């Protein structure tokens, strides 16, 4: 009986101990769940109040680092630039700046060139990094992408240098020619010769200044503010008339045609200047006794019909390496020939800006020694098309040697080996 009582007493004591241990384990588990973990220290909760909201609206890439250089907060732009990888700051110079700032509390700023992610061409990404302390333990890194700003600055710097060079050439020539005229005052024949040269340089200078003004206008003005339906036939006629004299001097025949009664929507002055530049270039770079053709037609496009105006010449052509750059400002395929023809290197740049500002594009097809076709595509003025559809007639043929678009290929012959693609010159 005493043995049974002892066993019962031991069993009761064991049960009480088990219950106490279970209760202590439960309490310990609850307290352990409530305690901040190592990973929870690197969440938004450690940021000072309001900082998260401010960082979310900044345009700069933002990264917040803790005392162990782990990333507490990083914006999506920081990941896109490749600043943060695997929860760590991946740019070593920025990491050194952050450590120095954490140590002495001073704000630091530096400009760096970083390699672009996913490109094998070695292109640099220009950034400006600024590091500042954020509270007692955190460091804030703000990174601004300067790549586009530097590119624009380089373009502006090159433009100023090119303008200075182009203006210096005719003004220097005028200065020298005026001195020659003074020295040859007793030689009427020499004076006449030098005066003729002065007129050429003065005209060249005037054209350069005018094209600079035109380029500035098409870049800064919104052509759609004064937009109106513009008849393509009138633009073609104006472009042909503008180049009629130099064409007749070189015995170049200008043939215009295609679909009649087409309209585009835009600024008449800018569109006339753009098409005039294309026709003028075609005449200037074509040999004597050749043809220059201008043809217009309507083509279907996903966003609405486009009006396509093709200007074709039988000139010197453009090499493949130059084709990508002919629309750059002051770029010339043959600088020596451009000086002889009076070109400034701005005409095609103006055409490109006018086409882009009107929602269109300009493209080029060319073969060296055979000729080129510049194609200007612009959105059609749809409302005008609807009103004029009932009165649209056949393409005109008059004393200006106009020909319909469908017979244009015979008006401007090409070798079968170099016939342009159908969308350019069917």
């Amino acid at each position: 009986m005493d043995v049974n009582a002892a066993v019962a007493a031991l069993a009761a004591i064991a049960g009480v101990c088990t219950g106490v241990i279970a209760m202590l384990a439960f309490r310990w588990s609850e307290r352990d769940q409530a305690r901040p973990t190592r990973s929870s220290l690197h969440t938004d909760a450690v940021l000072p109040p309001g900082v998260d909201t401010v960082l979310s609206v900044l345009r700069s890439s933002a990264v917040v680092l803790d005392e162990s250089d782990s990333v507490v907060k990083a914006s999506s732009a920081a990941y896109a630039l490749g600043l943060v990888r695997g929860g760590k700051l991946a740019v070593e110079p920025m990491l050194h700046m952050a450590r120095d700032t954490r140590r002495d509390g001073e704000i630091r700023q530096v400009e760096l060139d970083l390699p672009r992610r996913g490109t094998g061409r070695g292109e640099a990404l220009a950034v400006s990094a600024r590091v500042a302390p954020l509270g007692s333990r955190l460091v804030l890194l703000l990174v601004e992408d300067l790549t586009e700003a530097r590119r624009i600055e380089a373009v502006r710097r090159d433009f100023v240098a090119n303008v200075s060079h182009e203006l210096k050439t005719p003004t220097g020539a005028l200065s020298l020619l005026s001195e020659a005229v003074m020295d040859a005052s007793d030689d009427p024949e020499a004076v006449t010769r030098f005066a003729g040269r002065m007129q050429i340089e003065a005209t060249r200078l005037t054209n350069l200044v005018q094209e600079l003004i035109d380029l500035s206008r098409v870049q800064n003005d919104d052509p759609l503010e004064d937009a109106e339906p513009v008849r393509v036939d009138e633009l073609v006629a104006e472009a042909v008339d503008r180049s009629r004299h130099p064409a007749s001097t070189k015995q170049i025949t200008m043939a215009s045609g295609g679909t009649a009664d087409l309209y585009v929507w835009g600024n008449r002055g800018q569109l006339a200047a753009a098409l005039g530049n294309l026709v003028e270039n075609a005449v200037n770079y074509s040999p004597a006794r050749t043809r220059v053709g201008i043809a217009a037609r309507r083509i279907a496009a996903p966003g609405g019909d486009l009006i396509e105006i093709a200007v074709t010449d039988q000139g010197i052509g453009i090499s493949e390496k130059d084709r990508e750059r002919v629309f750059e400002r002051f770029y010339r395929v043959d600088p020596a020939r451009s000086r002889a023809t009076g070109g400034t290197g701005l005409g095609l740049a103006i055409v490109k800006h006018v086409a882009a500002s009107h929602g269109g594009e300009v493209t080029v097809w060319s073969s060296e020694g055979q000729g080129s076709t510049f194609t200007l595509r612009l959105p059609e003025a749809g409302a005008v098309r609807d009103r004029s559809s009932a009165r649209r007639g056949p393409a005109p043929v008059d004393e200006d040697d106009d020909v319909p678009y469908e017979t244009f290929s015979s008006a401007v012959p090409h070798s079968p080996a170099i016939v342009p693609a159908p969308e350019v010159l069917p």
Side-chain angles (χ1 to χ4, degrees):
M1 190 66 180
D2 293 338
V3 175
N4 292 335
V7 172
L10 290 175
I13 293 173
V16 171
C17 292
T18 302
V20 171
I21 292 172
M23 183 178 65
L24 292 176
F26 178 76
R27 293 290 181 87
W28 181 268
S29 176
E30 285 187 334
R31 187 172 63 178
D32 188 63
Q33 290 180 1
R35 180 186 304 166
T37 63
R38 180 183 178 88
S39 60
S40 66
L41 290 175
H42 303 295
T43 62
D44 296 345
V46 302
L47 292 176
V51 172
D52 190 20
T53 303
V54 173
L55 295 181
S56 64
V57 298
L58 288 178
R59 299 182 63 180
S60 305
S61 302
V63 180
V64 179
L65 304 175
D66 64 8
E67 65 274 11
S68 62
D69 293 333
S70 296
V71 175
V72 176
K73 179 75 176 181
S75 63
S76 57
Y79 286 98
L81 290 178
L83 303 179
V84 178
R85 298 176 189 172
K88 295 289 185 179
L89 186 62
V91 183
E92 198 67 24
M94 295 182 186
L95 188 58
H96 290 320
M97 288 175 55
R99 291 169 180 171
D100 294 340
T101 297
R102 185 185 301 112
R103 185 180 61 253
D104 55 26
E106 292 186 5
I107 297 176
R108 289 174 169 81
Q109 184 170 355
V110 68
E111 292 189 2
L112 301 170
D113 290 334
L114 307 178
R116 288 181 182 269
R117 296 182 62 188
T119 62
R121 295 174 293 178
E123 297 180 350
L125 188 70
V127 298
S128 173
R130 187 178 179 87
V131 181
L134 185 64
S136 59
R137 297 185 301 111
L138 304 179
V139 173
L140 173 63
L141 170 67
L142 296 177
V143 179
E144 190 77 23
D145 189 354
L146 304 179
T147 307
E148 184 65 16
R150 284 193 181 180
R151 187 192 67 82
I152 294 174
E153 180 61 28
V155 170
R156 183 183 295 111
R157 187 166 54 250
D158 292 342
F159 180 72
V160 172
N162 288 327
V163 168
S164 302
H165 174 75
E166 295 296 333
L167 290 175
K168 183 179 179 180
T169 301
T171 53
L174 287 172
S175 177
L176 293 175
L177 288 169
S178 64
E179 293 178 4
V181 169
M182 293 179 63
D183 294 338
S185 57
D186 56 346
D187 186 353
E189 183 179 348
V191 169
T192 301
R193 184 172 67 255
F194 292 143
R197 289 294 307 167
M198 291 177 68
Q199 287 183 339
I200 293 175
E201 296 298 334
T203 301
R204 181 180 173 188
L205 180 60
T206 301
N207 293 339
L208 175 59
V209 172
Q210 183 59 51
E211 290 201 348
L212 286 172
I213 294 173
D214 293 340
L215 180 60
S216 176
R217 182 179 296 116
V218 300
Q219 286 181 315
N220 297 327
D221 294 349
D222 182 4
L224 301 183
E225 288 184 358
D226 302 320
E228 59 178 333
V230 182
R231 187 168 180 173
V232 175
D233 294 341
E234 296 177 358
L235 294 177
V236 173
E238 186 173 338
V240 170
D241 188 65
R242 170 176 164 179
S243 299
R244 190 180 302 277
H245 176 68
S248 62
T249 302
K250 299 172 66 175
Q251 299 180 11
I252 293 176
T253 302
M254 289 191 291
S256 60
T259 305
D261 210 18
L262 299 175
Y263 286 82
V264 293
W265 184 263
N267 183 290
R268 178 183 176 82
Q270 293 189 14
L271 293 173
L275 185 57
N277 286 345
L278 291 180
V279 176
E280 186 176 9
N281 276 2
V283 172
N284 288 340
Y285 290 94
S286 291
R289 294 178 294 277
T290 56
R291 278 180 176 265
V292 170
I294 310 100
R297 66 173 179 174
R298 180 189 297 110
I299 60 173
D305 289 350
L306 298 176
I307 301 302
E308 182 180 89
I309 309 173
V311 179
T312 301
D313 62 64
Q314 296 172 296
I316 61 175
I318 306 171
S319 65
E320 184 176 357
K321 67 181 181 63
D322 290 319
R323 252 172 261 159
E324 299 295 326
R325 302 191 60 189
V326 292
F327 296 104
E328 295 179 12
R329 306 169 191 169
F330 296 109
Y331 185 78
R332 296 185 177 96
V333 175
D334 185 352
R337 186 178 179 89
S338 296
R339 284 193 295 269
T341 60
T344 64
L346 290 174
L348 292 180
I350 293 174
V351 176
K352 179 181 178 181
H353 282 288
V354 170
S357 62
H358 283 75
E361 64 173 353
V362 59
T363 58
V364 58
W365 171 94
S366 185
S367 179
E368 288 188 84
Q370 300 294 333
S372 305
T373 297
F374 285 84
T375 304
L376 183 63
R377 296 184 181 90
L378 299 166
E380 182 182 20
V384 177
R385 173 189 172 185
D386 295 339
R387 292 197 300 269
S388 62
S389 58
R391 56 185 177 83
R392 183 177 295 114
V397 178
D398 56 23
E399 65 275 10
D400 289 330
D401 198 20
D402 290 345
V403 294
Y405 194 97
E406 55 270 15
T407 62
F408 189 65
S409 57
S410 60
V412 184
H414 283 274
S415 169
I418 62 158
V419 174
E423 66 271 14
V424 177
L425 190 62

